[in-house]
Amino acid sequence: GKESHRRHTKPFGMIPDAKGDFHRLFPKRQLWQPRVEYPLWDNNWDGLHPPSTGDDEADRHRMRVVRKEGVTRHIILIRHGQYDEREKDDEKRILTELGRKQAALTGKRLREMI
């Protein structure tokens, strides 16, 4: 029904006035609060979903057209290349020669994809 199209009023993002720690790991004010509770998926994760027309059937039709003719968004996850793990300081953990080759090849592959 129309309830599914209403904007969530629950706060999301980081909540600066949150008190306490998250499992004694870090302050709760730094904890990211998703719009939709896990394991549900936020279909409007990027904020680009058009607002509801108020007619569920018209909304479904419009979304079918968007899925068929619209832009596809991709999220590409890339892990860093090999680095020197023997150093304790992050600043000294630099890419090895192989890591630099991996980074260059990854860049070339991304250029081909995008």
Side-chain angles (χ1 to χ4, degrees), residues 24-90:
R24 295 186 300 185
L25 295 171
F26 53 85
K28 284 187 178 178
R29 70 177 184 278
Q30 295 176 350
L31 178 65
W32 180 263
Q33 300 292 325
R35 264 182 230 186
V36 179
E37 289 187 39
Y38 179 82
L40 300 176
W41 177 255
D42 182 359
N43 289 321
N44 193 22
W45 60 272
D46 59 0
L48 296 177
H49 198 289
S52 172
T53 64
D55 178 349
D56 286 346
E57 188 56 37
D59 289 346
R60 272 195 293 280
H61 176 72
R62 179 175 59 190
M63 290 313 298
R64 280 194 300 268
V65 170
V66 168
R67 280 193 300 274
K68 183 176 178 184
E69 300 171 7
V71 176
T72 300
R73 294 172 237 157
H74 298 275
I75 298 174
I76 301 170
L77 303 177
I78 301 172
R79 189 167 185 267
H80 55 75
Q82 184 187 61
Y83 63 94
D84 186 352
E85 295 183 59
R86 294 174 292 183
E87 295 292 340
K88 297 219 183 281
D89 296 328
D90 272 349

